[in-house]
């Protein structure tokens, strides 16, 4: 569970994924044939958000593993495990005075969800809001996306670029 001290942006999301990937052993990384990410279709992670898709393409190229983005339809957060986890978190710290970042992080570390304590991190990176691509740059990104023919807004596959 990564908390940010700046804005929740596309860059924050992909940087958090990169830290997760780097934390895996080489054996764990090698055992993954596809990273499947369930997305909430928020403004920073939407399947039409230019910066998000560009960073996901870059991430797939960096890790050399396909990434499949699966988006929940609007108003279906009850099916999203992350939303359920946040509900448990809100219940856990209900009434607590979260007077500073350290207090909040310690409360988060003590919660359990499905019997497991989360690994809690804090990102102090400052992220810019409103980053977007030109239409030409977005065409290049879009050329890398394989949108499912029946669910083009909800299921996107990104394959890493072929190594030279």
């Amino acid at each position: 569970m990564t908390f940010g001290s700046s804005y929740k942006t596309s860059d924050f999301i992909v940087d958090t994924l990169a830290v997760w990937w780097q934390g895996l052993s080489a054996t764990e990384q090698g055992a993954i044939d596809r990273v499947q990410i369930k997305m909430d279709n928020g403004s920073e992670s939407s399947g039409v958000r230019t910066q998000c898709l560009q960073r996901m393409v870059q991430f797939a190229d960096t890790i050399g593993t396909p990434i499949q983005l699966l988006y929940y339809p609007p108003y279906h957060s009850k099916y999203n495990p992350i939303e359920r986890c946040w509900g448990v978190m809100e219940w856990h710290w209900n009434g607590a005075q979260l007077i500073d970042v350290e207090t909040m992080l310690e409360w988060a570390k003590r919660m359990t969800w499905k019997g497991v304590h989360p690994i809690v991190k804090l990102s102090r990176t400052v992220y810019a809001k409103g980053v977007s691509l030109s239409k030409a740059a977005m065409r290049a990104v879009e050329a890398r996306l394989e949108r499912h023919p029946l669910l083009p807004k909800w299921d996107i596959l990104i394959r890493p670029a072929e190594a030279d």
Side-chain angles (χ1 to χ4, degrees):
M1 185 179 292
T2 302
F3 291 85
S5 58
S6 180
Y7 300 107
K8 183 176 90 169
T9 66
S10 304
D11 292 317
F12 170 77
I13 292 168
V14 179
D15 287 353
T16 299
L17 289 169
V19 169
W20 163 77
W21 182 264
Q22 292 163 1
L24 299 176
S25 70
T27 303
E28 291 168 322
Q29 290 176 1
I32 297 173
D33 63 346
R34 175 183 298 193
V35 175
Q36 189 178 76
I37 305 170
K38 296 177 182 171
M39 307 285 275
D40 71 357
N41 229 337
S43 60
E44 65 284 332
S45 59
S46 151
V48 296
R49 181 72 183 192
T50 60
Q51 180 66 0
C52 180
L53 293 173
Q54 174 181 263
R55 288 293 313 276
M56 286 293 184
V57 166
Q58 291 169 346
F59 183 49
D61 290 348
T62 299
I63 67 174
T65 302
I67 297 174
Q68 183 177 24
L69 305 176
L70 298 171
Y71 289 91
Y72 288 100
Y75 310 109
H76 283 75
S77 60
K78 63 183 169 263
Y79 300 113
N80 186 338
I82 297 299
E83 295 295 336
R84 291 197 302 269
C85 179
W86 277 112
V88 171
M89 173 68 81
E90 289 173 345
W91 178 84
H92 172 71
W93 64 26
N94 186 25
Q97 293 187 2
L98 304 175
I99 56 174
D100 55 33
V101 171
E102 289 73 26
T103 302
M104 179 190 66
L105 295 175
E106 288 307 313
W107 270 95
K109 288 176 188 174
R110 289 196 306 262
M111 76 160 271
T112 58
W113 189 55
K114 296 187 175 187
V116 177
H117 290 282
I119 297 169
V120 177
K121 297 180 180 182
L122 174 65
S123 168
R124 294 204 181 268
T125 303
V126 176
Y127 293 98
K129 289 172 55 173
V131 177
S132 62
L133 304 180
S134 68
K135 289 185 186 218
M138 189 56 198
R139 279 192 296 275
V141 168
E142 195 64 44
R144 295 284 310 279
L145 308 179
E146 295 177 27
R147 293 181 181 272
H148 189 284
L150 299 176
L151 300 167
K153 290 170 47 176
W154 314 110
D155 185 348
I156 301 170
L157 181 63
I158 306 167
R159 295 185 195 280
E162 296 293 324
D164 293 332

